[in-house]
Amino acid sequence: MSLADASPSGRRHRVVQWATGALGRSAIRGVLDRDDMELAGVWVHTPAKVGADAGTLAGRDPVGVTATGDLGEILDLEADCVVYAPSPARDRFAELETICALLASGKNLISLSGLVYPQAHGPFFVNELEQACKRGGVSVHGSGVSHGFMADVMPLVLSRLSRRITHVYARECTDFARHPSWRMVHRVLGFGKDEEAYLRALRPTRAAMRMLFSESLHLIAAGLGVELDEIDVDVDHRLAGADLSTAAGPIPRGTVAAARWTFSGIAAGRPVITVEVVHKADAARMPDEWGRPGYSLRVDGRPSLTLSAGEEWVSDAVSAASAHALNSVPAVCAADPGIRTYLDLPMITGRMHL
């Protein structure tokens, strides 16, 4: 499906940006740089940002779109799509009401914080989304890079070259030294916390990580025609051996500075899909245990396939994630109403700039 197919009238898609963290600001800049889109509105979480010009928030000149913290104002906007990019929720059900309200208001929604495979959360969650999509006549889609591409879509792309597949493995190791969000680095990942505080928070964090990455495992399984019986989660962590300086703030010596999460999808009594996620506060100043930043994918079958990429595979992961969402807008807006995963949409491509 081409852009012309998605928007035969040539009308620009009106896009709302939900949340203006690093991802949201990148998405705003992406919309402003495209001639097939226009910024219809911006929702912000922080009260201090309410009333600010969206262009200013994104580091650009003012564009005449004022940020709001009022859900009602966003619902009342005439818009085609919401790019939904808040910090990852610890409880996917906690944000379900807001997402459904946006969908029911007639706005397609592309999430950068999950919803890659909503079916992973059970029939109630799916039914709520489907009914909201039906009321609004729209679709919902989850996008991204770590989950939303390399950990789920790329293994499926590789799988088309193999038969009699027995196991799929995906590993990602991310260096957060240059990540600008302290909220993400400290509150979500737990870096910079002493070990006792980290372990106290581990139970809810484990549930949140399971909820987030279970979508990737179930997407792979669905693409390969397998139904998972359960998902096992294992986690380990390491402390900083020296004071670390990151873009988000300092990570003192002796506090948590790395974690490895292993998610195993079980079927027929054995692991059939494994996703290993490694986070490091500053990989250049930490041991190579758990590998260097980058990605490794393996499909065990006939033939077996392996694909590896260092961290340089993408020059800016934040920009890549926002571009992935924006490149999906025409196809999502053109899709039939309902949940639309990568298994439902046509191949998404970028646009050539001349």
Side-chain angles (χ1 to χ4, degrees), residues 81-122:
C81 187
V82 175
V83 175
Y84 187 79
S87 297
R90 288 185 173 271
D91 179 4
R92 182 65 69 212
F93 287 83
E95 59 185 2
L96 183 58
E97 183 177 352
T98 296
I99 291 171
C100 287
L102 291 167
L103 293 169
S105 73
K107 299 171 183 64
N108 297 277
L109 186 142
I110 298 175
S111 172
L112 278 164
S113 59
L115 301 185
V116 169
Y117 197 74
Q119 294 88 335
H121 307 307

Side-chain angles (χ1 to χ4, degrees), residues 282-328:
D282 187 349
R285 299 188 59 197
M286 301 175 70
D288 284 348
E289 181 186 22
W290 300 338
R292 302 298 301 165
Y295 292 84
S296 298
L297 307 175
R298 187 177 68 245
V299 176
D300 293 323
R302 297 183 181 176
S304 294
L305 308 161
T306 301
L307 176 67
S308 298
E311 63 178 333
E312 70 280 357
W313 83 280
V314 59
S315 61
D316 186 337
V318 170
S319 294
S322 64
H324 199 187
L326 295 180
N327 286 330
S328 303

Side-chain angles (χ1 to χ4, degrees), residues 155-177:
L156 290 176
V157 173
L158 284 183
S159 75
R160 70 182 63 186
L161 302 179
S162 185
R163 60 188 177 88
R164 296 186 65 85
I165 295 168
T166 58
H167 184 259
V168 171
Y169 169 83
R171 172 191 171 276
E172 61 175 79
C173 178
T174 305
D175 182 5
F176 282 85

Side-chain angles (χ1 to χ4, degrees), residues 41-45 49-52 66-74 77:
V42 173
W43 182 91
V44 291
H45 173 77
K49 294 181 179 180
V50 172
T66 301
T68 179
D70 187 341
L71 170 62
E73 292 185 19
I74 297 297
L77 285 175

